[in-house]
Amino acid sequence: MSIEFDNNLPIYLQIMNHIKRQIVSGLLLPGDKIPSVRELAADLQINPNTIQRTFQELEREEVVETKRGLGRYVTSEESKIMAIKKEMAGDLLHQFIHGMQELGFKKQDIVSIVKEAVGNDGSEGRKEERANGHTAES
Amino acid sequence: MDTLLKVNGLSKRYGSRQALDSVSFSVDPGRIIGLLGANGSGKSTLMQIIAGLTPAASGEIAVMGKPLGKETKSLISYMPDRPMTESWMKVRDAVAFYNDFYADFDGSKAREMLSFMNLEETSAVSSLSKGMNERLQLTLALSRNVNLYLLDEPIGGVDPVARDKILDAIVRFYSEDSSLIVCTHLVRDMERIFDEVMFLKDGRITLHEEVENLRIKHGRSVDDMFKEVFGE
């Protein structure tokens, strides 16, 4: 695993986001074991106490859980993972809207621009619908 | 948590130059501390005084509650900025030398670190490149089981790839209940392995702070702040 760190921002937050992205994108699955503090510290060349803090925060948010004597695991609660997705989507939306407003677009303009962009992207939208439909049936 | 190292009002002069000017700080166990300063700021002097290699003019140092002296020698391991090995030695001899010299030397850890560092036991120390020599010195220093490690410019003269290897080794091989003081002027390369940093300027500590707090408070990297303070 490698992350491009920005030394201007707290490192523990960057690692938290990295792990959340891995969970959301399916690289880490519910119930998967996550590396130990030492392993991750050595891999990323980051201070072990920073990794410790990352894990504590992830535990506090119930994204990972510690099984005594066994290690840390990604939560198996789908609702938690959905919550992370929503949180990350919220961040993206916020950034996007902020950026559009800076460009001078009004609320209605932004909505119609998004509508048009999503509408044009028809093929991918249908594919996603099919995939979703499939999981619902099985 | 008991304080591991306590430095109080430390001063030292070289002729008319005040190398250290009433320096005070303390270090808790399990921390990696960056001692940062420009060349000639007093970093090496401070490290040498704590290592017991040169006396201070005034001030006190206590390690695990004991005043600096014979008793504390077994608590501190020092990696000098210039090698302590002799030129006739092979890597194997250097390790044996340390093993004879220090009762707390961990031979199996040394072998493990040598292989991690890609160091051959049969290589002559004098044939090693600067970077390989730094790897050897780091191996020797970290293979002692002590409470406090002092590393003076561990990535002083090596290329970026070798730097990564050394940083990797520091994080991988230091023992968690001990502490490390690392002095360097290569702040950008090293800041991510520090818990805390101290800025030493003209013999005085001008800042001592947790690294993540600095980023949260100021939204800036340690390197940025270092450049501002030391005006590079």
Side-chain angles (χ1 to χ4, degrees):
Chain A
M1 179 171 6
S2 72
I3 311 178
E4 281 293 319
F5 286 105
D6 177 353
N7 283 342
N8 296 304
L9 300 171
I11 303 294
Y12 81 94
L13 281 177
Q14 297 179 57
I15 307 173
M16 275 178 81
N17 285 335
H18 178 77
I19 292 176
K20 284 180 180 174
R21 269 197 300 275
Q22 286 194 315
I23 293 173
V24 167
S25 66
L27 277 167
L28 279 172
L29 295 171
D32 270 1
K33 192 171 191 220
I34 58 174
S36 71
V37 170
R38 256 311 155 94
E39 281 165 6
L40 201 55
D43 279 358
L44 300 176
Q45 292 172 8
I46 294 287
N47 181 293
N49 290 321
T50 306
I51 306 283
Q52 187 68 41
R53 182 169 181 183
T54 305
F55 286 169
Q56 273 166 6
E57 291 293 319
L58 287 172
E59 266 166 34
R60 206 175 49 77
E61 293 187 4
E62 296 172 25
V63 175
V64 304
E65 51 198 15
T66 302
K67 295 182 186 163
R68 209 164 273 279
L70 292 173
R72 287 189 185 76
Y73 294 82
V74 176
T75 179
S76 6
E77 278 183 53
E78 295 284 346
S79 64
K80 265 287 147 205
I81 294 169
M82 272 314 290
I84 304 171
K85 262 190 199 178
K86 272 194 185 141
E87 182 197 317
M88 295 184 107
D91 288 348
L92 273 177
L93 266 176
H94 180 79
Q95 272 175 29
F96 170 73
I97 293 169
H98 183 74
M100 293 298 274
Q101 280 169 342
E102 272 190 346
L103 291 176
F105 289 104
K106 298 271 175 297
K107 279 181 187 169
Q108 294 94 320
D109 302 334
I110 299 176
V111 172
S112 57
I113 289 168
V114 171
K115 228 179 215 164
E116 199 179 331
V118 174
N120 282 344
D121 211 8
S123 62
E124 215 169 293
R126 267 201 307 282
K127 218 186 284 168
E128 252 172 36
E129 253 170 44
R130 236 193 348 261
N132 284 339
H134 186 73
T135 26
E137 279 161 29
S138 61
Chain B
M1 215 190 295
D2 286 341
T3 304
L4 180 63
L5 171 71
K6 194 154 178 46
V7 174
N8 197 6
L10 208 66
S11 294
K12 170 100 180 170
R13 256 174 190 292
Y14 288 119
S16 63
R17 200 168 61 83
Q18 188 85 37
L20 293 174
D21 187 3
S22 94
V23 167
S24 301
F25 63 93
S26 54
V27 172
D28 286 331
R31 312 288 282 172
I32 304 181
I33 290 134
L35 177 62
L36 314 179
N39 289 328
S41 58
K43 289 175 302 191
S44 290
T45 305
L46 180 55
M47 297 283 263
Q48 282 162 10
I49 293 173
I50 299 170
L53 299 174
T54 180
S58 59
E60 295 115 43
I61 299 176
V63 188
M64 308 277 286
K66 293 175 194 149
L68 195 73
K70 253 189 194 160
E71 259 193 287
T72 60
K73 289 226 186 274
S74 61
L75 304 176
I76 302 174
S77 178
Y78 172 66
M79 174 188 167
D81 60 350
R82 259 162 277 168
M84 284 206 289
T85 40
E86 300 284 338
S87 55
W88 57 265
M89 288 178 168
K90 290 194 190 318
V91 168
R92 192 200 299 132
D93 303 318
V95 172
F97 176 68
Y98 261 67
N99 198 25
D100 287 346
F101 207 84
Y102 297 107
D104 51 46
F105 194 80
D106 181 343
S108 63
K109 186 177 181 184
R111 276 190 296 279
E112 195 188 333
M113 272 192 83
L114 286 180
S115 94
F116 178 79
M117 296 291 208
N118 298 322
L119 280 160
E120 295 287 342
E121 296 199 27
T122 50
S123 305
V125 171
S126 57
S127 74
L128 297 176
S129 66
K130 195 165 182 184
M132 289 310 260
N133 215 313
E134 274 173 346
R135 292 185 191 198
L136 174 61
Q137 302 303 324
L138 185 69
T139 299
L140 295 172
L142 287 187
S143 293
R144 291 185 57 200
N145 287 319
V146 297
N147 297 83
L148 180 64
Y149 298 88
L150 305 170
L151 311 180
D152 196 347
E153 296 285 357
I155 57 167
V158 302
D159 59 86
V161 177
R163 264 176 212 178
D164 272 1
K165 194 78 178 171
I166 285 180
L167 292 183
D168 199 344
I170 291 175
V171 174
R172 211 175 276 274
F173 289 103
Y174 98 101
S175 54
E176 266 157 71
D177 35 7
S178 59
S179 286
L180 245 78
I181 301 179
V182 185
C183 85
T184 185
H185 62 276
L186 298 166
V187 182
R188 197 158 56 99
D189 292 314
M190 295 205 79
E191 67 170 87
R192 292 203 301 266
I193 73 163
F194 298 142
D195 288 293
E196 305 165 25
V197 286
M198 294 193 288
F199 283 7
L200 191 65
K201 194 180 186 192
D202 304 327
R204 286 168 172 272
I205 291 187
T206 58
L207 176 138
H208 183 181
E209 176 79 77
E210 299 231 1
V211 174
E212 288 282 72
N213 284 350
L214 280 180
R215 295 191 186 108
I216 294 168
K217 257 197 260 173
H218 303 283
R220 293 168 63 192
S221 65
V222 179
D223 188 44
D224 246 22
M225 302 190 63
F226 180 81
K227 281 181 181 151
E228 184 181 289
V229 172
F230 294 93
E232 264 181 43

